[in-house]
Amino acid sequence: METLTREKIFYEFSKDNKPVKMVKSGTTVAIDTYDCFTNQIQSDRTEINTIDWNHVNPATGPIYVENANPGDILKVKIEKLEIGDQGVMVVGPDLGVMGHRITEMQKKIIPIENGKAIFDEIEIPLNPMIGVIGVAPKGNGVNCGTPGEHGGNMDNKMVEEGATLYFPVFVDGALFGLGDFHAAMGDGEVSVSGIEVPGKATVTFEVIKGDTLNHPMLENNAVYTQIASAKTLDDAAKIATEEMVDRIVAKSDKTIEEVTMLMSAVGQVEVCQIVDPLITARFVVPKWVLEKLDIKLI
Amino acid sequence: METLTREKIFYEFSKDNKPVKMVKSGTTVAIDTYDCFTNQIQSDRTEINTIDWNHVNPATGPIYVENANPGDILKVKIEKLEIGDQGVMVVGPDLGVMGHRITEMQKKIIPIENGKAIFDEIEIPLNPMIGVIGVAPKGNGVNCGTPGEHGGNMDNKMVEEGATLYFPVFVDGALFGLGDFHAAMGDGEVSVSGIEVPGKATVTFEVIKGDTLNHPMLENNAVYTQIASAKTLDDAAKIATEEMVDRIVAKSDKTIEEVTMLMSAVGQVEVCQIVDPLITARFVVPKWVLEKLDIKLI
């Protein structure tokens, strides 16, 4: 297994980033990460107004995956996800769903103890997840706080240990990176932050030829999900649904009308986050349905 | 237990509807319903273009609950939910998420056998639910195909056996009705229809004085949820979140900043439906969090 330390970070997914590691398809890499504030808030004594907002949402990388070319798919299996023992949350004016009601920025240090996040008297069960994960986009770079067709800051709580992501490849080598782990987060990420923590993700890369994607997908033991990001939650939900319907129609012997009805009965429109510069939704289909249709989505 | 047959229907929730039954708080009523097409599509031989679209989404009722007055809350416990043995789904141009890609209306008769909905070779597990449920709104009537502050066509799959709904009361007697059952439906209801079935719901009414609501809430064994409907999914999600945050702030000793952070970690923004004239979302909070805060939401 290879390793990558968190000193190698970038703040923008870009075709112009210089790779910090080259790996072959099939390689497993343990990747260290800072939290989304690049670990600038370590205690209650840190003044929130003193942190450098030009250095938030770092992704560790980029990793160049050999033989990944535009039009391919990069498969990334999250073998293991480890998180630090202290998290932090923030709220502030104009941030998140309640930003219009909040007058000053506040932070909260949240110890992680015995598998729980300690929020005052409330012990929150952990659901460790990766907020920022993706590849270089085509065209201009995209800052690591924004999601898109390349992945990025999707803040999707299904991006957890055991999940497999599939990204469209836009540039040679894909230029993969990840960061922004959360010890716990609900769908929506309504305050604009999860419980932000540093950590280490162990992932295995595989290049898939002969198939292509418009937006990232995610697979776990139970489901396939189509992820999409857009200016509105309405648009993100519709894009995710339509991409999934189109993929099932293309791979099955059902018509678009039949697949639309079937998805209405068994598919789920779900929310990833509603607080980033673009909004992210997912459309979720149980694997047993795909097995009955006798198709593989990827 | 009292009963109400499905001959007593209305197509618009309205303060002007004449009650078909008067009950006291605490009464249990078994209510029969047509499906959302008022049972017009009973076989593959029914031409979809022959059905009367002025007679869809009937609700059985209205029921006048004594002593329910504007500003009160009407609590409705779904004691039992029974469905018929045949369902129907539809797709059509300009309907649902895929309506821009569909050129003619199609229907599909779906037998319900041995606890499954038979969709061609696919046996779909049932999740019986109530699509239309609510009370008369203030002001003008609202057709039963549209959701709102009064409930109506929320198409929320959590409205199932065992759930309890809480509605704002806008007019004396509340003027409750329900209909539009689905044998199965996923969040989003992306085709514009679930597996539409007739059925019978047994519900118990209770009038709650001294508390009030702006939008319906739902409780089950595990969670409380705030429901909201709006022109966009973005707005519905934000309204549901803000209403829930405000209610928890009002009932607890936490600040709005603390509750916003807590909800970001443990609350879920979820989708009810994205296909009706207004869109419906819900914000879901686990009961164990409210118990730790030592508050009752209603």
Side-chain angles (χ1 to χ4, degrees):
Chain A
M1 188 170 67
E2 305 210 22
T3 60
L4 184 60
T5 62
R6 68 187 186 187
E7 284 67 44
K8 310 291 191 177
I9 56 178
F10 60 91
Y11 294 99
E12 180 181 88
F13 285 92
S14 168
K15 64 183 184 316
D16 300 325
N17 286 341
K18 192 173 154 56
V20 297
K21 181 178 271 296
M22 310 269 289
V23 301
K24 291 188 191 313
S25 181
T27 304
T28 299
V29 186
I31 306 171
D32 266 324
T33 68
Y34 289 106
D35 73 15
C36 75
F37 301 111
T38 320
N39 290 24
Q40 292 181 82
I41 310 172
Q42 290 302 302
S43 85
D44 284 323
R45 294 184 304 278
T46 306
E47 280 289 340
I48 187 85
N49 295 319
T50 66
I51 79 167
D52 179 354
W53 291 94
N54 289 319
H55 290 107
V56 298
N57 287 314
T60 306
I63 295 172
Y64 186 105
V65 183
E66 293 175 21
N67 203 31
N69 304 120
D72 294 343
I73 292 171
L74 181 65
K75 177 179 179 179
V76 182
K77 172 84 189 283
I78 304 172
E79 311 280 0
K80 195 170 183 184
L81 186 55
E82 298 161 89
I83 58 170
D85 57 9
Q86 180 175 285
V88 60
M89 298 193 84
V90 300
V91 289
D94 301 325
L95 296 176
V97 175
M98 298 299 295
H100 61 298
R101 302 271 302 280
I102 289 173
T103 53
E104 67 167 3
M105 186 155 279
Q106 293 190 13
K107 68 172 187 306
K108 191 175 194 72
I109 298 288
I110 299 177
I112 315 280
E113 294 173 2
N114 301 318
K116 305 273 186 174
I118 313 300
F119 188 108
D120 301 338
E121 73 277 27
I122 302 171
E123 297 186 358
I124 298 174
L126 306 182
N127 61 315
M129 53 157 282
I130 297 174
V132 171
I133 185 167
V135 297
K138 60 188 170 201
N140 292 334
V142 175
N143 70 67
C144 291
T146 302
E149 296 168 6
H150 69 293
N153 194 20
M154 299 183 291
D155 284 322
N156 178 349
K157 77 175 185 195
M158 293 183 76
V159 182
E160 60 187 355
E161 185 172 293
T164 298
L165 281 137
Y166 299 90
F167 295 99
V169 176
F170 298 108
V171 305
D172 286 342
L175 300 181
F176 175 88
L178 58 73
D180 184 29
F181 295 1
H182 302 157
M185 189 195 93
D187 283 335
E189 199 190 21
V190 296
S191 82
V192 87
S193 89
I195 299 179
E196 308 291 337
V197 282
K200 182 161 71 174
T202 303
V203 304
T204 301
F205 299 103
E206 186 183 329
V207 177
I208 298 174
K209 303 278 184 185
D211 196 357
T212 196
L213 280 173
N214 297 318
H215 299 262
M217 294 191 79
L218 181 148
E219 176 191 3
N220 65 22
N221 285 338
V223 300
Y224 271 91
T225 88
Q226 175 66 63
I227 304 164
S229 299
K231 284 188 181 168
T232 68
L233 181 56
D234 296 77
D235 284 348
K238 287 173 183 167
I239 294 167
T241 305
E242 187 166 358
E243 288 280 324
M244 180 63 91
V245 168
D246 279 344
R247 184 161 280 262
I248 294 174
V249 170
K251 304 224 170 198
S252 75
D253 57 5
K254 298 258 185 240
T255 65
I256 193 170
E257 291 83 2
E258 288 170 323
V259 172
T260 299
M261 287 192 272
L262 181 60
M263 290 302 102
S264 198
V266 304
Q268 312 292 331
V269 177
E270 296 183 357
V271 174
C272 298
Q273 55 76 27
I274 59 174
V275 296
D276 293 331
L278 295 177
I279 308 302
T280 308
R282 56 182 185 254
F283 188 82
V284 181
V285 180
K287 282 187 170 177
W288 67 261
V289 174
L290 303 170
E291 285 160 12
K292 282 282 185 186
L293 290 169
D294 200 21
I295 61 173
K296 278 181 66 97
L297 279 194
I298 292 188
Chain B
M1 188 170 68
E2 304 212 22
T3 60
L4 184 60
T5 63
R6 69 188 186 188
E7 284 67 44
K8 309 292 192 177
I9 56 177
F10 60 90
Y11 293 98
E12 180 180 88
F13 285 92
S14 168
K15 64 183 184 318
D16 300 324
N17 286 341
K18 190 173 155 56
V20 297
K21 182 176 269 296
M22 310 269 290
V23 302
K24 292 189 189 314
S25 182
T27 305
T28 299
V29 186
I31 305 171
D32 266 323
T33 69
Y34 288 106
D35 73 15
C36 75
F37 301 110
T38 320
N39 290 23
Q40 293 182 82
I41 310 173
Q42 289 301 302
S43 84
D44 284 324
R45 293 184 304 278
T46 306
E47 281 288 337
I48 186 84
N49 295 319
T50 66
I51 79 167
D52 179 355
W53 291 94
N54 290 319
H55 290 106
V56 298
N57 286 314
T60 306
I63 295 173
Y64 186 106
V65 183
E66 293 175 22
N67 202 29
N69 304 120
D72 294 342
I73 293 172
L74 181 65
K75 177 178 180 178
V76 183
K77 171 83 189 285
I78 304 172
E79 311 280 0
K80 195 169 183 184
L81 186 55
E82 299 160 88
I83 58 171
D85 57 9
Q86 179 176 286
V88 60
M89 298 192 84
V90 299
V91 289
D94 303 324
L95 295 176
V97 175
M98 298 299 295
H100 61 300
R101 302 272 302 280
I102 289 172
T103 52
E104 65 166 3
M105 187 156 278
Q106 292 190 15
K107 69 172 187 306
K108 192 175 194 72
I109 298 288
I110 299 177
I112 316 282
E113 294 173 2
N114 301 317
K116 306 271 186 174
I118 312 301
F119 188 108
D120 299 338
E121 73 277 26
I122 302 170
E123 296 186 358
I124 298 174
L126 306 182
N127 62 315
M129 53 159 282
I130 298 174
V132 171
I133 185 167
V135 297
K138 61 188 169 199
N140 292 334
V142 175
N143 69 69
C144 291
T146 301
E149 295 167 7
H150 68 293
N153 194 18
M154 300 183 289
D155 285 322
N156 178 350
K157 76 175 185 194
M158 293 182 76
V159 182
E160 59 187 355
E161 185 173 293
T164 298
L165 282 137
Y166 300 90
F167 296 99
V169 176
F170 298 109
V171 304
D172 285 343
L175 301 181
F176 175 87
L178 59 72
D180 184 29
F181 296 1
H182 302 158
M185 189 195 93
D187 284 334
E189 200 191 21
V190 296
S191 83
V192 87
S193 89
I195 299 179
E196 308 290 338
V197 282
K200 182 162 70 174
T202 304
V203 304
T204 301
F205 299 102
E206 186 184 328
V207 176
I208 298 174
K209 302 278 185 187
D211 196 358
T212 194
L213 280 173
N214 297 318
H215 299 262
M217 294 191 80
L218 182 148
E219 175 191 4
N220 65 22
N221 286 338
V223 300
Y224 271 90
T225 88
Q226 175 65 64
I227 304 164
S229 299
K231 284 188 181 168
T232 68
L233 181 56
D234 296 77
D235 284 347
K238 287 174 184 167
I239 294 166
T241 304
E242 186 166 358
E243 289 281 324
M244 180 64 89
V245 168
D246 279 344
R247 184 161 279 262
I248 294 174
V249 170
K251 304 222 171 198
S252 75
D253 57 6
K254 298 258 185 242
T255 64
I256 193 170
E257 291 83 0
E258 288 170 323
V259 172
T260 299
M261 286 193 274
L262 181 61
M263 289 302 103
S264 198
V266 304
Q268 313 292 331
V269 177
E270 296 184 355
V271 174
C272 298
Q273 55 76 26
I274 59 174
V275 295
D276 293 330
L278 295 177
I279 307 302
T280 308
R282 57 182 185 254
F283 189 81
V284 181
V285 179
K287 282 187 170 176
W288 66 261
V289 174
L290 304 170
E291 285 160 11
K292 283 281 185 184
L293 290 170
D294 200 19
I295 62 173
K296 278 181 66 97
L297 279 194
I298 292 187

